[in-house]
């Protein structure tokens, strides 16, 4: 079981992120993406600060100036910009359509890891990738997809695709540093820089007054707190641990199961029906997870 520690972390991350997405989707209905990104990162930072009070600050001892620089670039790409674009896509497309765009994440990571991390592909990777992506696409296909205005559709798809590419790029930058560094320290530093990047974005873009109005207005704090605590703290930490203990390509494929979890959670807690298409997609998704664990 210990030999699959990275895979276990990656699947756990997918489940935690799926729960977070449900709450963030609710919050995004009344809070713009940039401001929602700031709020969720603030909550995450407070939780990370509490974590370091418990475990101590020695977790940062291996982070050199060079590593901090690379992690900062990773955070600006993968949190400041990518998370904002993801929330924009989530608001424009809705959860199920955004889930389809999420399928681009693991292919981006796999391609980048082969080119920049010299990772190789196993048969288990390929089989798992095909099964999971097939399951996700089947489960999230919508018969009402064409009802979305064309302009909104393409705008949302553009934001979503860019978010996945930037998120994958951030992962590839972070992966080598995780070899001898605490995932807790890496996650906390990335979140802090990502938060500062969001604040700078607000100041530079000239939306300061708009943001202040949003922050002073009524906010869905329950959804924000639960979405942030799971999405910007716990899942981020487990996400980094997954990439530390297994190959980037393996972790990225297993991360894709979050969409399968979203469908299951929506059925259980939002009473959304599961037809044959979604049921088959869920089966294929978990068959893909089994393939990655079991096939050579």
């Amino acid at each position: 079981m210990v030999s699959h520690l990275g895979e276990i972390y990656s699947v756990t991350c997918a489940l935690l992120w799926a729960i977070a997405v449900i709450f963030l989707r609710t919050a995004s209905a009344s809070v713009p993406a940039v401001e929602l990104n700031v709020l969720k990162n603030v909550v995450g930072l407070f939780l990370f600060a509490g974590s370091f009070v418990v475990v101590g600050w020695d977790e940062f001892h291996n982070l050199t100036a060079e590593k901090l620089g690379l992690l900062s670039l990773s955070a600006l790409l993968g949190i400041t910009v990518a998370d904002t674009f993801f929330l924009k896509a989530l608001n424009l497309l809705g959860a199920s359509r955004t889930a389809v765009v999420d399928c681009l994440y693991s292919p981006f990571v796999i391609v980048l890891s082969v080119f920049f991390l010299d990772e190789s592909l196993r048969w288990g990777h390929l089989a798992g990738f095909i099964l999971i992506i097939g399951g996700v696409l089947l489960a999230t296909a919508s018969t009402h997809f064409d009802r979305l205005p064309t302009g909104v559709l393409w705008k949302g798809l553009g934001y979503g695709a860019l978010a996945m590419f930037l998120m994958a790029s951030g992962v590839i930058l972070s992966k080598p540093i995780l070899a001898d560094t605490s995932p807790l320290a890496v996650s906390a530093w990335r979140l802090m820089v990502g938060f500062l990047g969001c604040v700078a974005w607000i100041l530079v873009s000239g939306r300061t007054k708009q943001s202040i109005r949003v922050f002073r207005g009524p906010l869905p704090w329950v959804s924000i707190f639960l979405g942030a605590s799971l999405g910007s703290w716990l899942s981020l930490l487990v996400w980094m641990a997954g990439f530390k203990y297994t190959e980037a390509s393996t972790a990225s494929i297993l991360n894709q199961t979050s969409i399968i979890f979203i469908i299951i959670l929506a059925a259980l807690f939002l009473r959304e029906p599961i037809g044959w298409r979604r049921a088959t997609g869920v089966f294929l998704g978990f068959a893909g997870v089994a393939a990655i664990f079991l096939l050579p």
Side-chain angles (χ1 to χ4, degrees):
M1 184 64 71
V2 176
S3 63
H4 291 299
L5 190 60
E7 288 86 346
I8 294 170
Y9 277 132
S10 297
V11 175
T12 302
C13 171
L15 175 59
L16 293 171
W17 177 245
I19 300 172
V21 165
I22 299 297
F23 290 114
L24 292 174
R25 175 68 181 105
T26 303
S28 71
S30 57
V31 183
V34 176
E35 286 74 21
L36 181 56
N37 203 10
V38 169
L39 290 169
K40 77 175 183 63
N41 289 344
V42 166
V43 173
L45 284 173
F46 274 107
L47 292 171
F48 270 113
S51 302
F52 285 110
V53 169
V54 175
V55 303
W57 297 89
D58 292 339
E59 301 285 319
F60 286 95
H61 74 280
N62 279 338
L63 286 177
T64 63
E66 180 181 359
K67 290 180 179 179
L68 290 175
L70 286 173
L71 287 177
S72 296
L73 177 59
S74 166
L76 291 174
L77 294 174
I79 296 179
T80 299
V81 183
D83 278 7
T84 300
F85 283 179
F86 173 81
L87 292 170
K88 283 181 176 289
L90 189 61
N91 189 42
L92 289 168
L93 301 177
S96 62
R97 292 184 178 93
T98 305
V100 176
V101 183
D102 276 350
C103 297
L104 294 172
Y105 168 69
S106 61
F108 281 143
V109 172
I110 291 170
V111 171
L112 291 173
S113 65
V114 169
F115 280 101
F116 296 104
L117 299 180
D118 294 325
E119 292 188 1
S120 57
L121 294 179
R122 296 187 288 106
W123 285 111
H125 283 149
L126 295 174
F129 172 76
I130 292 171
L131 287 169
I132 290 173
I133 295 302
V136 168
L137 291 174
L138 185 63
T140 56
S142 173
T143 57
H144 303 292
F145 192 81
D146 293 334
R147 291 185 180 180
L148 199 64
T150 303
V152 175
L153 173 63
W154 284 107
K155 188 176 182 180
L157 290 175
Y159 276 128
L162 281 172
M164 293 304 105
F165 177 76
L166 293 173
M167 198 175 295
S169 300
V171 165
I172 298 303
L173 285 170
S174 301
K175 169 67 174 173
I177 298 172
L178 285 165
D180 59 355
T181 308
S182 163
L184 181 62
V186 170
S187 300
W189 181 265
R190 291 182 78 248
L191 187 62
M192 182 186 69
V193 174
F195 163 71
L196 294 175
C198 289
V199 173
W201 188 333
I202 289 174
L203 295 175
V204 172
S205 64
R207 58 185 295 142
T208 305
K209 291 183 179 180
Q210 176 185 342
S211 296
I212 291 174
R213 284 196 300 270
V214 171
F215 295 145
R216 287 180 175 177
L219 294 169
W221 278 113
V222 173
S223 295
I224 291 172
F225 178 79
L226 292 175
S229 60
L230 293 173
S232 293
W233 176 56
L234 192 55
S235 72
L236 184 62
L237 177 59
V238 177
W239 185 50
M240 286 287 101
F243 278 94
K244 178 180 177 70
Y245 293 110
T246 191
E247 291 186 340
S249 52
T250 300
S252 67
I253 294 171
L254 293 175
N255 288 158
Q256 296 278 217
T257 58
S258 62
I259 298 95
I260 304 298
F261 287 125
I262 289 172
I263 293 170
I264 295 174
L265 292 173
L268 291 175
F269 297 104
L270 302 180
R271 304 303 179 187
E272 294 184 3
I274 296 183
W276 71 267
R277 190 188 300 270
R278 289 187 176 181
T280 305
V282 170
F283 174 79
L284 289 176
F286 284 104
V289 174
I292 290 174
F293 273 87
L294 300 176
L295 294 181

